[in-house]
Amino acid sequence: MEFFDTHTHYNDEKFKQEAEKMLNELKQNGIGGIVIPGFNIESSERAIELANKNASVYCSVGIHPSDIENSTEKIDEQICKIRDLIKNEKVVAIGEIGLDYHWTQDNKELQKYAFKKQIELANEQKLPIIIHTRDCVQDMIDILSKEISPMEPSILHCCPFNRELVKEGLKLNFYISFAGPVTYKNAKNAEEIVKMVPEEKILIETDSPYLPPEPFRGQRNDSTKVKYIAQKVAEIKNIPLEEFAKLTFENAKKVFKI
Ligand code: NI
């Protein structure tokens, strides 16, 4: 049985030089494919570097809302560099991009600007986007439904347990990617949200090194723990684990066109 971890940050400094070794051991640990998303220029470059060393490793490039510069001119420069990085053939998406009002609210307009510009870039390049969304439900829905929607089926990463957002995502033909929080005992309405998502739209991810699933909370997360997330979602959907692994693997291949 092999799993596909659609979102894992081996480009994060918490992995440092261990990343190469861990990626080489993925296959023997039951992980048949992963995507390493960038969150700024440097981490996007590192994601490409790691992907180029390993056949089953793919990557995405983009500027996370917490990593955007403080003027539209400088954001344009960041995006210009991202545009250059797309040329690498292991790049399968633009991300992670989006809005995050949890850490800062004083640059909302710049966050929206960077998000929309990167959706534009993805549409022009015919790539899916990987969306990060936190504490910004209405603005996120407004942008995606009224201003600019991704043209390729895209991904709502680390699925927020928000009914409206997931409903909107499904309307836009998105894939919904479940991460560690789906295993947490205090995850309100996680079960209801999982049930809303049709089989052919489910993805799984670790978002490592963050958000370890139960029973690893407090430890550094990595892709091998994606099976605990798979187990939980498969159980809610009432699908045998082996079948669920295959299903989510195929979904990942479809959305990333690999
Ligand atoms: Ni992430």
Side-chain angles (χ1 to χ4, degrees), residues 93 101 112 177 246 252 254:
Y101 298 167
K112 291 185 204 169
S177 188
K246 249 184 234 156
K254 228 178 272 167

Side-chain angles (χ1 to χ4, degrees), residues 21-77:
K21 181 173 176 286
M22 295 176 88
L23 293 179
N24 286 334
E25 291 168 356
L26 285 178
K27 275 269 177 197
Q28 70 202 60
N29 285 313
I31 307 302
I34 65 168
V35 171
I36 304 177
F39 42 91
N40 53 28
I41 303 294
E42 205 188 351
S43 62
S44 296
E45 287 170 342
R46 175 71 172 150
I48 291 173
E49 184 191 348
L50 290 171
N52 282 335
K53 287 180 182 166
N54 197 311
S56 55
V57 176
Y58 298 84
C59 63
S60 70
V61 294
I63 312 291
H64 185 286
S66 304
D67 281 80
I68 57 167
E69 290 283 358
N70 55 11
S71 72
T72 52
E73 291 77 20
K74 287 191 199 157
I75 290 172
D76 286 343
E77 282 170 30

Side-chain angles (χ1 to χ4, degrees), residues 6 27 33 84 91 124 199 225:
T6 62
K27 275 269 177 197
D84 257 0
V91 174
E124 170 206 304
E199 283 179 20
K225 297 180 176 66

